[in-house]
């Protein structure tokens, strides 16, 4: 039914273009002009200032004898389901559910394993960082201790040198005092 309606629409569109061209050649409309297509008649009415008008007449399908039966989709054949068949279907559905559940558990196990790997790697990196930091701090503390000891030894050396110099100055002064007095 929809295909015939679209065919009519196409024919009317073609007719209007044809009539437009004809009206350019024939300025006076033919009052009794009648165009006939397969199951469509188009009658040209009086031309008006605003345009041209047509009367579209469709042939009656009942009169033509070409009855078109509406196409319907055939329904699937209904069959009796036996208890065994229903049992098989239930078992198949149960198998599908179990396989789906196993697949989901497998996926979750993979995800859990991946998370464990990531956590293990992060823990190893953290431990490695801690070890390196501790070694660095120990090395730094040893260097600071050595520097401190070197600085203290240098101060002690200068203090000894001062004491030796002071003792020498005192002795020299004592000798000068004995000589003069």
């Amino acid at each position: 039914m929809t295909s015939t309606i679209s065919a009519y629409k196409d024919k009317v569109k073609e007719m209007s273009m044809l009539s437009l061209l004809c009206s350019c050649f024939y300025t006076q409309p033919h009052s009794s002009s009648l165009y006939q297509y397969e199951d469509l008649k188009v009658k040209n009415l009086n031309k008006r200032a605003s345009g041209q008008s047509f009367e579209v007449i469709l042939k009656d399908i009942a009169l033509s004898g070409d009855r078109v039966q509406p196409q319907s989709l055939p329904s699937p054949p209904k069959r009796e389901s036996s208890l065994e068949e229903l049992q098989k279907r239930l078992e198949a559905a149960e198998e599908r559910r179990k396989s789906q559940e196993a697949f989901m558990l497998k996926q979750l196990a993979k995800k859990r394993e991946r998370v464990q790997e990531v956590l293990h790697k992060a823990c190893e990196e953290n431990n490695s960082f801690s070890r390196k930091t501790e070694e660095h701090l120990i090395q730094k503390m040893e260097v600071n201790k050595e520097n401190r000891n070197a600085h203290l030894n240098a101060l002690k050396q200068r203090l000894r040198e001062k004491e030796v110099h002071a003792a020498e100055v005192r002795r020299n002064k004592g000798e000068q005092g004995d000589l003069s007095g």
Side-chain angles (χ1 to χ4, degrees), residues 34-142:
L34 183 69
Y35 303 102
Q36 185 169 356
Y37 298 102
E38 296 164 5
D39 54 349
L40 177 73
K41 291 182 184 179
V42 179
K43 188 175 187 182
N44 194 3
L45 299 177
N46 291 335
K47 187 173 182 178
R48 299 184 180 165
S50 62
Q52 199 165 1
S53 61
F54 298 96
E55 182 180 346
V56 179
I57 304 167
L58 302 175
K59 285 186 182 177
D60 192 9
I61 295 175
L63 296 177
S64 65
D66 297 334
R67 288 212 164 170
V68 178
Q69 294 293 331
Q71 293 180 354
S72 63
L73 297 174
S75 61
K78 293 183 180 180
R79 49 186 178 143
E80 296 290 324
S81 298
S82 67
L83 183 61
E84 293 173 359
E85 195 173 312
L86 289 174
Q87 196 68 24
K88 286 180 184 177
R89 285 184 183 176
L90 286 173
E91 289 173 2
E94 184 68 21
E95 286 296 318
R96 285 192 304 270
R97 186 189 63 76
K98 284 182 181 179
S99 69
Q100 182 70 19
E101 187 176 305
F103 178 74
M104 292 301 288
L105 288 174
K106 193 176 185 181
Q107 292 285 343
L108 288 173
K110 282 182 182 178
K111 284 183 182 180
R112 193 175 303 126
E113 185 178 313
R114 176 72 178 136
V115 166
Q116 291 295 328
E117 287 175 5
V118 169
L119 287 175
H120 183 69
K121 187 176 179 182
C123 188
E124 284 180 358
E125 287 179 1
N126 191 22
N127 289 339
S128 173
F129 176 75
S130 295
R131 264 193 317 268
K132 286 180 182 178
T133 305
E134 185 178 358
E135 290 172 2
H136 182 68
L137 283 175
I138 289 172
Q139 185 181 8
K140 203 171 185 180
M141 287 172 64
E142 287 176 1

